[in-house]
Amino acid sequence: MPCPTAWGGGIGLLARRYGYAADQVRRLELVTADGRLREVTAEFEPDLFWALRGGGGNFGVVTGMEIALVPVPRLYGGGLYFDAGPAILDGWLRWTASVPEEMTSAILLIPFPDIPEVPDPLRGRLVAHIQLAYAGDSDAGETVIAPLRDLGTCLVDTVRDMAFAESAAVFDDPSDPHSYQGTNIFLREGTGTTETILAQTGSELPLIIGLRHLGGALSRPPQEPSAVGHRDARYLLSVLSPADGLDPDLLGTAHNGVLDAIQPWTTGGFSLNFQFGPADPTRIPAGYAPGDYQRLLDLKKQVAPIFLFRGGNTIPATALGND
């Protein structure tokens, strides 16, 4: 079901094995506010090379990019759907403590409406959708996934060997476009969060609460440093709602209530990639590691001081001294 990817691309199915997509960038071509076309690499324009990999659309228009590719022709993955409950969420959290880096996974708690468009096994239920992607052969992948099958009665099982070109099936996203509103926060650990997270699913509003397993290659800095922060987080908790016809203020209050409840387990940071709807400008610095926001701000004042570039996770005009 919904696996949001906003500015920056979300967290990919190979993330724990190969890290962030930004970690694979080797060269960029950038047009800055003065109309210059710059070649940006670690050797030429090292400050911009650092900033563009994780710093959003603050510095110019990228017109070309060279990236490293990884040889993953097939995946073993898909979804396991269960009735949501403590045994499933706690079991997934315990399982993530020992899985190899080849396994990238997430769990979404989804309140499916009781409508004909929803498949019969899921209709009208609060469902735990475990999304799985193993970057290896199917036999090894099944060995890793097997403990999850023992957590309870599986409502739907879509796990299979697939070509990487089919890998979007892991998320099982709706095919029709939707409007969403959501936010997120990084967690330093998952142990002890089960009761608190499940308590947040009782809202009358449609709240989809997700946990994404981090670590592995995501936790290691790339060969060339970048502005991607919070690599020490172990999980990312997100809360998302279909926004069509709903009061955005009510949704925002409900989403912030989830973040407040989980506060004892947070790192204090959040992912700019999973911010749906207007971002609170005062919160943007928390999207980066301490000190990195100021470095980004100083660089933006040098290359884009007139606030020409406003896409993505924008450093606000007020931070540049503009109205």
Side-chain angles (χ1 to χ4, degrees):
M1 296 313 294
C3 182
T5 54
W7 296 104
I11 296 174
L13 295 173
L14 306 177
R16 281 180 31 86
R17 177 65 179 86
Y18 294 105
Y20 289 97
D23 297 344
Q24 306 297 331
V25 174
R26 299 294 179 261
R27 184 181 66 87
L28 302 107
E29 295 174 358
L30 180 75
V31 178
T32 47
D34 56 6
R36 287 179 57 195
L37 175 61
R38 305 184 186 215
E39 180 178 0
V40 181
T41 67
E43 293 76 29
F44 302 99
E45 305 275 13
D47 288 338
L48 277 172
F49 189 65
W50 170 83
L52 289 171
R53 295 173 302 125
N58 284 292
F59 306 98
V61 177
V62 173
T63 59
M65 184 185 303
E66 179 182 315
I67 61 173
L69 300 179
V70 294
V72 184
R74 305 192 70 80
L75 282 178
Y76 187 70
L80 298 177
Y81 296 77
F82 300 91
D83 279 315
I88 305 301
L89 180 54
D90 197 49
W92 177 80
L93 286 166
R94 291 196 311 272
W95 174 81
T96 60
S98 60
V99 296
E101 293 185 2
E102 288 79 6
M103 176 59 71
T104 299
S105 70
I107 186 169
L108 300 184
L109 305 178
I110 307 171
F112 279 102
D114 188 3
I115 57 176
E117 291 80 1
V118 175
D120 287 342
L122 310 178
R123 189 179 304 162
R125 297 175 181 263
L126 177 63
V127 171
H129 175 196
I130 302 178
Q131 300 171 340
L132 301 157
Y134 182 78
D137 68 74
S138 56
D139 289 340
E142 181 55 36
T143 299
V144 175
I145 291 171
L148 295 176
R149 300 187 187 280
D150 297 330
L151 295 179
T153 301
C154 194
L155 303 173
V156 176
D157 181 345
T158 66
V159 175
R160 60 184 175 86
D161 178 77
M162 64 179 72
F164 191 78
E166 303 175 79
S167 61
V170 171
F171 300 126
D172 194 21
D173 283 342
S175 57
D176 296 328
H178 286 73
S179 173
Y180 291 104
Q181 183 172 328
T183 188
N184 69 87
I185 200 159
F186 282 116
L187 305 185
R188 53 182 167 76
E189 61 179 338
T191 304
T193 62
T194 297
E195 183 177 339
T196 298
I197 291 172
L198 287 172
Q200 307 310 308
T201 63
S203 171
E204 294 182 2
L205 294 170
L207 303 185
I208 301 169
I209 300 176
L211 279 172
R212 288 165 176 80
H213 183 211
L214 307 177
L218 292 169
S219 67
R220 295 191 290 272
Q223 183 176 351
E224 298 296 337
S226 74
V228 175
H230 303 296
R231 291 179 181 266
D232 58 336
R234 295 188 62 186
Y235 301 92
L236 177 70
L237 182 140
S238 63
V239 55
L240 181 76
S241 296
D244 296 333
L246 296 176
D247 185 332
D249 291 334
L250 287 178
L251 288 177
T253 298
H255 295 171
N256 288 333
V258 176
L259 301 192
D260 289 343
I262 204 68
Q263 197 64 40
W265 293 272
T266 68
T267 67
F270 80 109
S271 172
L272 292 159
N273 286 356
F274 289 86
Q275 183 71 38
F276 285 76
D280 179 354
T282 64
R283 197 180 181 217
I284 288 177
Y288 302 99
D292 282 358
Y293 180 76
Q294 185 61 49
R295 183 179 172 185
L296 291 166
L297 175 58
D298 292 342
L299 184 61
K300 187 172 177 70
K301 288 178 179 178
Q302 295 175 33
V303 302
I306 61 174
F307 199 55
L308 180 63
F309 304 110
R310 311 183 185 195
N313 308 306
T314 306
I315 294 173
T318 52
L320 299 175
N322 301 329
D323 295 330

